[in-house]
Amino acid sequence: HKVSIIPRGHALGVTQHLPEKDKYSYHKEELIDRIKILMGGRVAEELFIGRITTGAGNDIERATQLARNMVIMWGMSENLGPVHYGENEQQVFLGRELGKRTQVSEATSEKIDDEVQKLIDFAYQEARNILDTHKDAVERLVAVLMEHETLDKEDIVKALDGGNTDAVPN
């Protein structure tokens, strides 16, 4: 894992999640944890800056897509159950885009939207609780990032624990 405040492309900073091993299957709790991480940027803006910016836009987009996949592809919705709600749009009239239709009714589409919103809201509130509870540790991490710009996993742990971060390379 690495955290950097150095702008990369259109991103103002980057958090990279490196897999510790190849993984092809994720359980629901892992996916919700990933959404919590993605929502953390927006929460941090509100808690530490006092206003929201466009900075978390990509994270919000990725979190929403992940929650949507959980509901429509992987059957991880308690209310909708283990059903694949294919939203692959099919073209009508011999491949011409005169009209498109989806494989779900309007009522089901609304239920899908509700389930996605519930997942996002839950992850957002959990992220808020975590960051609010650990404000001091976040502020220590920010101070070290301002000094060193990029940290690896060990340096992040030291900063969060309040340990000696003098060994962090420049």
Side-chain angles (χ1 to χ4, degrees):
H1 297 37
K2 281 194 179 281
V3 174
S4 176
I5 58 171
I6 299 173
R8 309 224 189 272
H10 295 297
L12 298 177
V14 177
T15 302
Q16 296 175 331
H17 305 278
L18 302 176
E20 296 185 15
K21 59 185 177 185
D22 288 340
K23 191 163 186 177
Y24 302 102
S25 180
Y26 296 91
H27 57 77
K28 183 177 180 180
E29 291 75 19
E30 285 178 294
L31 297 171
I32 291 173
D33 285 346
R34 286 181 178 263
I35 297 171
K36 288 179 198 177
I37 292 167
L38 290 165
M39 298 310 295
R42 171 53 59 87
V43 171
E45 287 179 343
E46 293 174 9
L47 288 176
F48 296 96
I49 300 172
R51 63 177 182 223
I52 59 174
T53 71
T54 59
N58 182 258
D59 289 342
I60 292 170
E61 179 181 352
R62 289 172 40 213
T64 303
Q65 188 58 53
L66 181 54
R68 190 164 203 75
N69 288 346
M70 290 173 68
V71 173
I72 67 171
M73 293 176 59
W74 304 320
M76 294 182 177
S77 163
E78 292 176 21
N79 291 330
L80 294 173
V83 176
H84 182 273
Y85 293 99
E87 290 196 334
N88 299 331
E89 294 182 338
Q90 299 175 347
Q91 295 180 2
V92 182
F93 299 114
L94 304 173
R96 294 172 55 205
E97 291 193 39
L98 296 178
K100 291 185 179 183
R101 62 179 177 183
T102 62
Q103 298 175 357
V104 296
S105 69
E106 187 174 324
T108 300
S109 183
E110 287 180 19
K111 289 178 186 175
I112 290 169
D113 290 344
D114 289 345
E115 291 298 299
V116 169
Q117 187 68 53
K118 282 197 312 194
L119 283 168
I120 296 292
D121 289 347
F122 173 78
Y124 175 88
Q125 193 55 51
E126 289 285 306
R128 186 174 187 84
N129 292 342
I130 291 166
L131 289 177
D132 199 33
T133 300
H134 300 284
K135 273 185 172 180
D136 292 343
V138 173
E139 289 172 353
R140 284 193 302 273
L141 179 61
V142 168
V144 175
L145 273 168
M146 293 300 288
E147 183 178 345
H148 299 284
E149 296 181 341
T150 300
L151 303 176
D152 63 18
K153 182 178 180 179
E154 291 77 23
D155 300 324
I156 294 166
V157 170
K158 285 180 190 175
L160 292 174
D161 287 342
N164 180 8
T165 56
D166 293 336
V168 176
N170 285 324

PDB file of all heavy atoms in Angstrom, residues 21-36 66-67 69-71 74-77 119 122:
ATOM      1  N   LYS A  21      -1.765 -11.019  -2.555  1.00  0.00           N
ATOM      2  CA  LYS A  21      -1.692 -12.233  -3.354  1.00  0.00           C
ATOM      3  C   LYS A  21      -2.754 -12.115  -4.441  1.00  0.00           C
ATOM      4  O   LYS A  21      -3.659 -11.292  -4.357  1.00  0.00           O
ATOM      5  CB  LYS A  21      -1.924 -13.477  -2.495  1.00  0.00           C
ATOM      6  CG  LYS A  21      -3.273 -13.476  -1.786  1.00  0.00           C
ATOM      7  CD  LYS A  21      -3.402 -14.660  -0.863  1.00  0.00           C
ATOM      8  CE  LYS A  21      -4.730 -14.563  -0.117  1.00  0.00           C
ATOM      9  NZ  LYS A  21      -4.915 -15.558   0.859  1.00  0.00           N
ATOM     10  N   ASP A  22      -2.629 -12.931  -5.474  1.00  0.00           N
ATOM     11  CA  ASP A  22      -3.639 -12.923  -6.527  1.00  0.00           C
ATOM     12  C   ASP A  22      -4.970 -13.345  -5.936  1.00  0.00           C
ATOM     13  O   ASP A  22      -5.052 -14.312  -5.190  1.00  0.00           O
ATOM     14  CB  ASP A  22      -3.248 -13.879  -7.655  1.00  0.00           C
ATOM     15  CG  ASP A  22      -2.090 -13.350  -8.484  1.00  0.00           C
ATOM     16  OD1 ASP A  22      -1.856 -12.129  -8.438  1.00  0.00           O
ATOM     17  OD2 ASP A  22      -1.441 -14.157  -9.156  1.00  0.00           O
ATOM     18  N   LYS A  23      -6.016 -12.614  -6.292  1.00  0.00           N
ATOM     19  CA  LYS A  23      -7.324 -12.910  -5.741  1.00  0.00           C
ATOM     20  C   LYS A  23      -8.371 -12.718  -6.820  1.00  0.00           C
ATOM     21  O   LYS A  23      -8.361 -11.729  -7.528  1.00  0.00           O
ATOM     22  CB  LYS A  23      -7.600 -11.984  -4.553  1.00  0.00           C
ATOM     23  CG  LYS A  23      -8.798 -12.400  -3.762  1.00  0.00           C
ATOM     24  CD  LYS A  23      -8.781 -11.749  -2.418  1.00  0.00           C
ATOM     25  CE  LYS A  23      -9.935 -12.329  -1.647  1.00  0.00           C
ATOM     26  NZ  LYS A  23     -10.009 -11.848  -0.315  1.00  0.00           N
ATOM     27  N   TYR A  24      -9.256 -13.670  -6.935  1.00  0.00           N
ATOM     28  CA  TYR A  24     -10.259 -13.623  -7.993  1.00  0.00           C
ATOM     29  C   TYR A  24     -11.676 -13.578  -7.453  1.00  0.00           C
ATOM     30  O   TYR A  24     -12.618 -13.466  -8.212  1.00  0.00           O
ATOM     31  CB  TYR A  24     -10.085 -14.832  -8.923  1.00  0.00           C
ATOM     32  CG  TYR A  24      -8.702 -14.881  -9.526  1.00  0.00           C
ATOM     33  CD1 TYR A  24      -7.741 -15.740  -9.028  1.00  0.00           C
ATOM     34  CD2 TYR A  24      -8.353 -14.028 -10.564  1.00  0.00           C
ATOM     35  CE1 TYR A  24      -6.465 -15.763  -9.563  1.00  0.00           C
ATOM     36  CE2 TYR A  24      -7.086 -14.035 -11.101  1.00  0.00           C
ATOM     37  CZ  TYR A  24      -6.140 -14.912 -10.596  1.00  0.00           C
ATOM     38  OH  TYR A  24      -4.883 -14.918 -11.127  1.00  0.00           O
ATOM     39  N   SER A  25     -11.820 -13.683  -6.145  1.00  0.00           N
ATOM     40  CA  SER A  25     -13.144 -13.690  -5.547  1.00  0.00           C
ATOM     41  C   SER A  25     -13.104 -12.861  -4.266  1.00  0.00           C
ATOM     42  O   SER A  25     -12.144 -12.943  -3.494  1.00  0.00           O
ATOM     43  CB  SER A  25     -13.550 -15.136  -5.228  1.00  0.00           C
ATOM     44  OG  SER A  25     -14.823 -15.163  -4.642  1.00  0.00           O
ATOM     45  N   TYR A  26     -14.130 -12.056  -4.060  1.00  0.00           N
ATOM     46  CA  TYR A  26     -14.199 -11.197  -2.887  1.00  0.00           C
ATOM     47  C   TYR A  26     -15.520 -11.443  -2.178  1.00  0.00           C
ATOM     48  O   TYR A  26     -16.550 -11.630  -2.814  1.00  0.00           O
ATOM     49  CB  TYR A  26     -14.119  -9.716  -3.285  1.00  0.00           C
ATOM     50  CG  TYR A  26     -12.800  -9.357  -3.913  1.00  0.00           C
ATOM     51  CD1 TYR A  26     -12.621  -9.441  -5.286  1.00  0.00           C
ATOM     52  CD2 TYR A  26     -11.731  -8.950  -3.129  1.00  0.00           C
ATOM     53  CE1 TYR A  26     -11.398  -9.128  -5.861  1.00  0.00           C
ATOM     54  CE2 TYR A  26     -10.510  -8.625  -3.701  1.00  0.00           C
ATOM     55  CZ  TYR A  26     -10.359  -8.722  -5.069  1.00  0.00           C
ATOM     56  OH  TYR A  26      -9.156  -8.413  -5.629  1.00  0.00           O
ATOM     57  N   HIS A  27     -15.491 -11.410  -0.845  1.00  0.00           N
ATOM     58  CA  HIS A  27     -16.756 -11.537  -0.132  1.00  0.00           C
ATOM     59  C   HIS A  27     -17.353 -10.152   0.102  1.00  0.00           C
ATOM     60  O   HIS A  27     -16.669  -9.132  -0.043  1.00  0.00           O
ATOM     61  CB  HIS A  27     -16.617 -12.347   1.158  1.00  0.00           C
ATOM     62  CG  HIS A  27     -15.603 -11.822   2.137  1.00  0.00           C
ATOM     63  ND1 HIS A  27     -15.839 -10.739   2.937  1.00  0.00           N
ATOM     64  CD2 HIS A  27     -14.355 -12.252   2.436  1.00  0.00           C
ATOM     65  CE1 HIS A  27     -14.788 -10.518   3.711  1.00  0.00           C
ATOM     66  NE2 HIS A  27     -13.876 -11.406   3.410  1.00  0.00           N
ATOM     67  N   LYS A  28     -18.612 -10.138   0.432  1.00  0.00           N
ATOM     68  CA  LYS A  28     -19.376  -8.899   0.536  1.00  0.00           C
ATOM     69  C   LYS A  28     -18.717  -7.896   1.479  1.00  0.00           C
ATOM     70  O   LYS A  28     -18.645  -6.704   1.174  1.00  0.00           O
ATOM     71  CB  LYS A  28     -20.800  -9.220   1.003  1.00  0.00           C
ATOM     72  CG  LYS A  28     -21.705  -8.024   1.067  1.00  0.00           C
ATOM     73  CD  LYS A  28     -23.119  -8.430   1.461  1.00  0.00           C
ATOM     74  CE  LYS A  28     -24.040  -7.233   1.534  1.00  0.00           C
ATOM     75  NZ  LYS A  28     -25.413  -7.628   1.913  1.00  0.00           N
ATOM     76  N   GLU A  29     -18.224  -8.371   2.615  1.00  0.00           N
ATOM     77  CA  GLU A  29     -17.613  -7.452   3.584  1.00  0.00           C
ATOM     78  C   GLU A  29     -16.368  -6.776   3.016  1.00  0.00           C
ATOM     79  O   GLU A  29     -16.123  -5.601   3.288  1.00  0.00           O
ATOM     80  CB  GLU A  29     -17.283  -8.205   4.883  1.00  0.00           C
ATOM     81  CG  GLU A  29     -18.513  -8.640   5.669  1.00  0.00           C
ATOM     82  CD  GLU A  29     -19.249  -9.846   5.059  1.00  0.00           C
ATOM     83  OE1 GLU A  29     -18.649 -10.584   4.232  1.00  0.00           O
ATOM     84  OE2 GLU A  29     -20.420 -10.036   5.388  1.00  0.00           O
ATOM     85  N   GLU A  30     -15.580  -7.516   2.237  1.00  0.00           N
ATOM     86  CA  GLU A  30     -14.395  -6.916   1.601  1.00  0.00           C
ATOM     87  C   GLU A  30     -14.797  -5.812   0.628  1.00  0.00           C
ATOM     88  O   GLU A  30     -14.146  -4.768   0.562  1.00  0.00           O
ATOM     89  CB  GLU A  30     -13.610  -7.972   0.824  1.00  0.00           C
ATOM     90  CG  GLU A  30     -12.806  -8.927   1.658  1.00  0.00           C
ATOM     91  CD  GLU A  30     -12.114  -9.958   0.793  1.00  0.00           C
ATOM     92  OE1 GLU A  30     -12.817 -10.776   0.172  1.00  0.00           O
ATOM     93  OE2 GLU A  30     -10.869  -9.927   0.730  1.00  0.00           O
ATOM     94  N   LEU A  31     -15.848  -6.061  -0.121  1.00  0.00           N
ATOM     95  CA  LEU A  31     -16.303  -5.062  -1.093  1.00  0.00           C
ATOM     96  C   LEU A  31     -16.843  -3.817  -0.387  1.00  0.00           C
ATOM     97  O   LEU A  31     -16.570  -2.688  -0.816  1.00  0.00           O
ATOM     98  CB  LEU A  31     -17.350  -5.677  -2.016  1.00  0.00           C
ATOM     99  CG  LEU A  31     -16.841  -6.838  -2.885  1.00  0.00           C
ATOM    100  CD1 LEU A  31     -18.000  -7.514  -3.605  1.00  0.00           C
ATOM    101  CD2 LEU A  31     -15.785  -6.372  -3.862  1.00  0.00           C
ATOM    102  N   ILE A  32     -17.572  -4.019   0.694  1.00  0.00           N
ATOM    103  CA  ILE A  32     -18.058  -2.869   1.462  1.00  0.00           C
ATOM    104  C   ILE A  32     -16.881  -2.095   2.043  1.00  0.00           C
ATOM    105  O   ILE A  32     -16.884  -0.855   2.046  1.00  0.00           O
ATOM    106  CB  ILE A  32     -19.054  -3.317   2.551  1.00  0.00           C
ATOM    107  CG1 ILE A  32     -20.346  -3.806   1.884  1.00  0.00           C
ATOM    108  CG2 ILE A  32     -19.349  -2.171   3.524  1.00  0.00           C
ATOM    109  CD1 ILE A  32     -21.348  -4.444   2.836  1.00  0.00           C
ATOM    110  N   ASP A  33     -15.854  -2.805   2.519  1.00  0.00           N
ATOM    111  CA  ASP A  33     -14.654  -2.121   3.019  1.00  0.00           C
ATOM    112  C   ASP A  33     -14.005  -1.277   1.925  1.00  0.00           C
ATOM    113  O   ASP A  33     -13.540  -0.168   2.174  1.00  0.00           O
ATOM    114  CB  ASP A  33     -13.641  -3.128   3.573  1.00  0.00           C
ATOM    115  CG  ASP A  33     -14.044  -3.683   4.927  1.00  0.00           C
ATOM    116  OD1 ASP A  33     -14.958  -3.126   5.573  1.00  0.00           O
ATOM    117  OD2 ASP A  33     -13.443  -4.689   5.348  1.00  0.00           O
ATOM    118  N   ARG A  34     -13.975  -1.782   0.697  1.00  0.00           N
ATOM    119  CA  ARG A  34     -13.414  -1.005  -0.411  1.00  0.00           C
ATOM    120  C   ARG A  34     -14.241   0.259  -0.662  1.00  0.00           C
ATOM    121  O   ARG A  34     -13.690   1.316  -0.953  1.00  0.00           O
ATOM    122  CB  ARG A  34     -13.351  -1.847  -1.682  1.00  0.00           C
ATOM    123  CG  ARG A  34     -12.260  -2.882  -1.646  1.00  0.00           C
ATOM    124  CD  ARG A  34     -12.218  -3.688  -2.930  1.00  0.00           C
ATOM    125  NE  ARG A  34     -11.138  -4.633  -2.894  1.00  0.00           N
ATOM    126  CZ  ARG A  34      -9.942  -4.424  -3.442  1.00  0.00           C
ATOM    127  NH1 ARG A  34      -9.699  -3.299  -4.075  1.00  0.00           N
ATOM    128  NH2 ARG A  34      -9.001  -5.328  -3.361  1.00  0.00           N
ATOM    129  N   ILE A  35     -15.559   0.138  -0.542  1.00  0.00           N
ATOM    130  CA  ILE A  35     -16.416   1.317  -0.718  1.00  0.00           C
ATOM    131  C   ILE A  35     -16.159   2.315   0.408  1.00  0.00           C
ATOM    132  O   ILE A  35     -16.103   3.525   0.177  1.00  0.00           O
ATOM    133  CB  ILE A  35     -17.903   0.921  -0.806  1.00  0.00           C
ATOM    134  CG1 ILE A  35     -18.144   0.052  -2.041  1.00  0.00           C
ATOM    135  CG2 ILE A  35     -18.796   2.160  -0.858  1.00  0.00           C
ATOM    136  CD1 ILE A  35     -19.531  -0.566  -2.122  1.00  0.00           C
ATOM    137  N   LYS A  36     -15.959   1.833   1.626  1.00  0.00           N
ATOM    138  CA  LYS A  36     -15.634   2.724   2.752  1.00  0.00           C
ATOM    139  C   LYS A  36     -14.367   3.514   2.451  1.00  0.00           C
ATOM    140  O   LYS A  36     -14.300   4.726   2.689  1.00  0.00           O
ATOM    141  CB  LYS A  36     -15.424   1.915   4.040  1.00  0.00           C
ATOM    142  CG  LYS A  36     -16.657   1.332   4.638  1.00  0.00           C
ATOM    143  CD  LYS A  36     -16.257   0.544   5.886  1.00  0.00           C
ATOM    144  CE  LYS A  36     -17.320  -0.417   6.311  1.00  0.00           C
ATOM    145  NZ  LYS A  36     -16.893  -1.216   7.475  1.00  0.00           N
ATOM    146  N   LEU A  66     -18.995  -0.056  -7.971  1.00  0.00           N
ATOM    147  CA  LEU A  66     -18.776  -1.268  -7.189  1.00  0.00           C
ATOM    148  C   LEU A  66     -20.066  -1.684  -6.477  1.00  0.00           C
ATOM    149  O   LEU A  66     -20.453  -2.856  -6.499  1.00  0.00           O
ATOM    150  CB  LEU A  66     -17.643  -1.046  -6.186  1.00  0.00           C
ATOM    151  CG  LEU A  66     -17.254  -2.220  -5.308  1.00  0.00           C
ATOM    152  CD1 LEU A  66     -16.938  -3.467  -6.132  1.00  0.00           C
ATOM    153  CD2 LEU A  66     -16.058  -1.835  -4.435  1.00  0.00           C
ATOM    154  N   ALA A  67     -20.754  -0.725  -5.856  1.00  0.00           N
ATOM    155  CA  ALA A  67     -22.025  -1.021  -5.184  1.00  0.00           C
ATOM    156  C   ALA A  67     -23.054  -1.522  -6.192  1.00  0.00           C
ATOM    157  O   ALA A  67     -23.807  -2.469  -5.920  1.00  0.00           O
ATOM    158  CB  ALA A  67     -22.540   0.226  -4.458  1.00  0.00           C
ATOM    159  N   ASN A  69     -22.473  -3.092  -9.039  1.00  0.00           N
ATOM    160  CA  ASN A  69     -22.106  -4.460  -9.412  1.00  0.00           C
ATOM    161  C   ASN A  69     -22.497  -5.451  -8.320  1.00  0.00           C
ATOM    162  O   ASN A  69     -22.935  -6.565  -8.621  1.00  0.00           O
ATOM    163  CB  ASN A  69     -20.612  -4.566  -9.700  1.00  0.00           C
ATOM    164  CG  ASN A  69     -20.223  -3.910 -11.005  1.00  0.00           C
ATOM    165  OD1 ASN A  69     -21.063  -3.591 -11.839  1.00  0.00           O
ATOM    166  ND2 ASN A  69     -18.929  -3.678 -11.167  1.00  0.00           N
ATOM    167  N   MET A  70     -22.336  -5.057  -7.068  1.00  0.00           N
ATOM    168  CA  MET A  70     -22.733  -5.930  -5.969  1.00  0.00           C
ATOM    169  C   MET A  70     -24.214  -6.270  -6.060  1.00  0.00           C
ATOM    170  O   MET A  70     -24.615  -7.413  -5.806  1.00  0.00           O
ATOM    171  CB  MET A  70     -22.431  -5.258  -4.624  1.00  0.00           C
ATOM    172  CG  MET A  70     -20.947  -5.151  -4.306  1.00  0.00           C
ATOM    173  SD  MET A  70     -20.640  -4.172  -2.825  1.00  0.00           S
ATOM    174  CE  MET A  70     -21.338  -5.249  -1.556  1.00  0.00           C
ATOM    175  N   VAL A  71     -25.020  -5.295  -6.440  1.00  0.00           N
ATOM    176  CA  VAL A  71     -26.468  -5.483  -6.492  1.00  0.00           C
ATOM    177  C   VAL A  71     -26.899  -6.205  -7.770  1.00  0.00           C
ATOM    178  O   VAL A  71     -27.645  -7.186  -7.707  1.00  0.00           O
ATOM    179  CB  VAL A  71     -27.203  -4.126  -6.371  1.00  0.00           C
ATOM    180  CG1 VAL A  71     -28.701  -4.288  -6.601  1.00  0.00           C
ATOM    181  CG2 VAL A  71     -26.934  -3.504  -5.003  1.00  0.00           C
ATOM    182  N   TRP A  74     -23.720  -9.555  -8.733  1.00  0.00           N
ATOM    183  CA  TRP A  74     -23.252 -10.569  -7.802  1.00  0.00           C
ATOM    184  C   TRP A  74     -24.304 -10.968  -6.774  1.00  0.00           C
ATOM    185  O   TRP A  74     -23.999 -11.713  -5.843  1.00  0.00           O
ATOM    186  CB  TRP A  74     -21.968 -10.099  -7.125  1.00  0.00           C
ATOM    187  CG  TRP A  74     -20.896  -9.751  -8.126  1.00  0.00           C
ATOM    188  CD1 TRP A  74     -20.598 -10.418  -9.276  1.00  0.00           C
ATOM    189  CD2 TRP A  74     -19.994  -8.650  -8.072  1.00  0.00           C
ATOM    190  NE1 TRP A  74     -19.574  -9.811  -9.941  1.00  0.00           N
ATOM    191  CE2 TRP A  74     -19.175  -8.718  -9.218  1.00  0.00           C
ATOM    192  CE3 TRP A  74     -19.794  -7.617  -7.165  1.00  0.00           C
ATOM    193  CZ2 TRP A  74     -18.175  -7.788  -9.481  1.00  0.00           C
ATOM    194  CZ3 TRP A  74     -18.804  -6.702  -7.423  1.00  0.00           C
ATOM    195  CH2 TRP A  74     -18.006  -6.785  -8.569  1.00  0.00           C
ATOM    196  N   GLY A  75     -25.520 -10.465  -6.896  1.00  0.00           N
ATOM    197  CA  GLY A  75     -26.606 -10.874  -6.012  1.00  0.00           C
ATOM    198  C   GLY A  75     -26.356 -10.600  -4.542  1.00  0.00           C
ATOM    199  O   GLY A  75     -26.755 -11.380  -3.684  1.00  0.00           O
ATOM    200  N   MET A  76     -25.710  -9.484  -4.214  1.00  0.00           N
ATOM    201  CA  MET A  76     -25.353  -9.170  -2.831  1.00  0.00           C
ATOM    202  C   MET A  76     -26.309  -8.182  -2.190  1.00  0.00           C
ATOM    203  O   MET A  76     -25.933  -7.436  -1.295  1.00  0.00           O
ATOM    204  CB  MET A  76     -23.920  -8.648  -2.766  1.00  0.00           C
ATOM    205  CG  MET A  76     -22.892  -9.675  -3.133  1.00  0.00           C
ATOM    206  SD  MET A  76     -21.227  -9.004  -2.969  1.00  0.00           S
ATOM    207  CE  MET A  76     -20.255 -10.441  -3.365  1.00  0.00           C
ATOM    208  N   SER A  77     -27.548  -8.173  -2.638  1.00  0.00           N
ATOM    209  CA  SER A  77     -28.567  -7.313  -2.053  1.00  0.00           C
ATOM    210  C   SER A  77     -29.525  -8.182  -1.255  1.00  0.00           C
ATOM    211  O   SER A  77     -30.065  -9.163  -1.765  1.00  0.00           O
ATOM    212  CB  SER A  77     -29.332  -6.595  -3.162  1.00  0.00           C
ATOM    213  OG  SER A  77     -30.547  -6.089  -2.659  1.00  0.00           O
ATOM    214  N   LEU A 119     -26.092   0.879   0.218  1.00  0.00           N
ATOM    215  CA  LEU A 119     -24.703   0.447   0.377  1.00  0.00           C
ATOM    216  C   LEU A 119     -23.762   1.643   0.499  1.00  0.00           C
ATOM    217  O   LEU A 119     -22.881   1.672   1.364  1.00  0.00           O
ATOM    218  CB  LEU A 119     -24.278  -0.425  -0.805  1.00  0.00           C
ATOM    219  CG  LEU A 119     -24.776  -1.861  -0.817  1.00  0.00           C
ATOM    220  CD1 LEU A 119     -24.517  -2.510  -2.175  1.00  0.00           C
ATOM    221  CD2 LEU A 119     -24.111  -2.670   0.286  1.00  0.00           C
ATOM    222  N   PHE A 122     -24.329   3.460   3.877  1.00  0.00           N
ATOM    223  CA  PHE A 122     -23.746   2.696   4.982  1.00  0.00           C
ATOM    224  C   PHE A 122     -22.225   2.873   5.009  1.00  0.00           C
ATOM    225  O   PHE A 122     -21.638   3.169   6.055  1.00  0.00           O
ATOM    226  CB  PHE A 122     -24.107   1.211   4.860  1.00  0.00           C
ATOM    227  CG  PHE A 122     -23.407   0.353   5.873  1.00  0.00           C
ATOM    228  CD1 PHE A 122     -23.851   0.311   7.183  1.00  0.00           C
ATOM    229  CD2 PHE A 122     -22.287  -0.397   5.512  1.00  0.00           C
ATOM    230  CE1 PHE A 122     -23.190  -0.470   8.129  1.00  0.00           C
ATOM    231  CE2 PHE A 122     -21.629  -1.180   6.451  1.00  0.00           C
ATOM    232  CZ  PHE A 122     -22.080  -1.221   7.760  1.00  0.00           C
TER     233      PHE A 122
END
